[in-house]
Amino acid sequence: MPRTFTDYLNKTAITLPDTFIDVRTGDSHIVSPKIQNQIEYHANNNTLIHLVLSALNSYLHPRSLKGDNEEILLELLEIKK
């Protein structure tokens, strides 16, 4: 059953369904308890909009740790030469 979390101070509300669809893959996922707890925590602390914007930023600009490591290793190889 969907639950609605509200940050009244910043006028932000999120309705959290039982499942969601990943727009990149089209797969359906169950909302984990960890995500539910994080949303509830931020709703209670009036920082819900910050959580939403941070999640959106991470989704739109994913960090590639593997790519970063490869770049560092190439730089070290150049220094070694």
Side-chain angles (χ1 to χ4, degrees):
M1 172 166 223
R3 290 183 53 193
T4 301
F5 297 93
T6 307
D7 173 357
Y8 292 104
L9 184 67
N10 295 308
K11 299 178 184 173
T12 306
I14 293 179
T15 300
L16 190 63
D18 294 330
T19 61
F20 67 95
I21 298 172
D22 185 343
V23 294
R24 289 185 181 172
T25 63
D27 296 336
S28 181
H29 301 280
I30 296 174
V31 178
S32 72
K34 182 178 179 180
I35 292 173
Q36 292 176 8
N37 290 338
Q38 283 294 310
I39 291 174
E40 187 172 356
Y41 170 82
H42 286 282
N44 291 334
N45 290 313
N46 299 320
T47 57
L48 191 56
I49 191 66
H50 301 286
L51 175 69
V52 172
L53 293 176
S54 177
L56 185 59
N57 185 51
S58 295
Y59 183 78
L60 295 174
H61 305 287
R63 294 181 184 170
S64 173
L65 296 177
K66 183 178 179 184
D68 291 342
N69 289 340
E70 289 177 14
E71 185 177 332
I72 292 170
L73 291 175
L74 287 174
E75 289 293 327
L76 289 173
L77 184 61
E78 287 297 317
I79 293 170
K80 186 178 178 181
K81 288 180 183 179

